[in-house]
């Protein structure tokens, strides 16, 4: 009998930053231009944006609200403004930073509050985005494309409130508005190994599919708590891991194909979210046998969390599914059915 084990190990940390950031020291800028300090990335994700360092080749989009208690003005100052990395900031000579497209300057009085989403290109996979200073972002109908080359690692930034320009801070240490981006999606990684070294047999994973998972929903963020949540899920579908190498498995876990970016969700709809593994067994007889195995994710458990605790995907978490495929050798236990003795009698006269 072939053996098949699928374990779910959850890697990653919960979203960080549960209070709004308020500062009276935002930037020293000789030209008064608004720029952004090197953003950081909170939590873990796929290779597209991995670790905590924001990549310089990924533009993000910024909103800013202007408030002036003296005049009573309260207006949207920056509205979905694309912001790109510049090796030399126009505000601080010799400093790199992220600069908004167009010319945006600090007011002489009042404050600016900021929020951003990343990447700007994610606008191609949701119907609309809106942001208000008293609530947060609303992304309508974000789609985690079944063809993941068209999907994006959607992130939203913390809410940076009540910023003022000042000359009190040394700009060599702090020369732009500081943003921290949080991952809005879940990431799935599949790894596989052979249970043993099987002489004369090769096991290859040829397809991994996630069945009946939602790939579309609405994302809403909360400025007050720097948190977010998903709702209005749509389009349960099959998501397939791309770029499987189909290399023969060894006794070490090896990642199978690309990371899947998924809309965070529970597993209890449409009969439950499942993973289907298709693999082949090549034998000495030159026969290739194709096998399939389907497992409900809700039957798995997160590492160290106890039995049957894997009941959803959460934002900003990367789930590592470890697949072990084993083979049992064919043995024979021969027996012999004994003769039935039949006695035949006769007489010779």
């Amino acid at each position: 009998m072939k053996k098949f084990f699928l374990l779910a190990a959850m890697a990653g940390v919960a979203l960080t930053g549960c209070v709004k950031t308020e500062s009276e020291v935002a930037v020293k800028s000789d030209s008064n231009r608004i720029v952004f300090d090197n953003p950081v990335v909170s939590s873990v994700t796929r290779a597209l944006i991995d670790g905590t360092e924001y990549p310089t080749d990924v533009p993000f989009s910024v909103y800013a609200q202007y408030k002036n208690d003296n005049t009573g003005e309260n207006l949207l100052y920056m509205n979905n403004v694309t912001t790109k990395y510049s090796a030399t900031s126009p505000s601080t000579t010799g400093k790199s930073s992220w600069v908004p497209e167009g010319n945006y300057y600090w007011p002489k009085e009042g404050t600016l509050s900021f929020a951003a989403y990343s990447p700007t290109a994610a606008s191609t996979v949701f119907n609309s985005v809106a942001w208000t200073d008293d609530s947060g972002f609303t992304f309508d109908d974000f789609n985690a494309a079944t063809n993941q080359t068209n999907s994006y690692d959607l992130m939203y930034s913390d809410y940076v409130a009540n910023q003022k320009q000042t000359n009190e801070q040394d700009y060599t240490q702090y020369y732009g508005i500081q943003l921290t981006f949080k991952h809005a999606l879940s990431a799935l990684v599949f790894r596989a190994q052979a249970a043993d070294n099987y002489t004369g047999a090769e096991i290859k994973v040829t397809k991994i599919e996630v069945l009946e998972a939602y790939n579309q929903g609405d994302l809403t963020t909360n400025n007050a708590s720097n948190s977010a949540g998903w709702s209005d899920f749509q389009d349960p579908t099959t998501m397939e891991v791309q770029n499987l190498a189909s290399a023969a498995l060894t006794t070490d876990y090896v990642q199978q194909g690309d990371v899947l970016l998924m809309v965070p969700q529970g597993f209890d709809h449409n009969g439950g979210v499942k993973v289907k593994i298709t693999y082949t067994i090549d034998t000495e007889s030159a026969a290739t046998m194709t096998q399939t195995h389907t497992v409900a994710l809700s039957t798995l458990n997160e590492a160290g969390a106890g039995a049957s605790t894997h009941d959803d995907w959460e934002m900003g978490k990367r789930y590592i599914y470890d697949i072990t495929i084993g083979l049992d050798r064919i043995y024979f236990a021969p027996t012999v059915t004994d003769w039935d003795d039949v006695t035949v009698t006769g007489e010779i006269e």
Side-chain angles (χ1 to χ4, degrees), residues 28 95 169-175:
K28 176 176 179 177
K95 294 294 181 181
Q169 179 78 0
D170 182 357
Y171 73 86
T172 62
Q173 296 180 356
Y174 185 30
Y175 51 90

Side-chain angles (χ1 to χ4, degrees), residues 284-306:
E284 287 185 334
S285 66
T288 297
M289 298 176 288
T290 299
Q291 312 285 292
T292 62
H293 187 91
T294 301
V295 59
L297 293 186
S298 60
T299 64
L300 305 178
N301 60 320
E302 294 169 7

Side-chain angles (χ1 to χ4, degrees), residues 139-151:
F139 300 89
D140 286 333
D141 295 335
F142 175 87
N143 184 275
T146 52
N147 180 355
Q148 290 263 301
T149 58
N150 299 324
S151 193

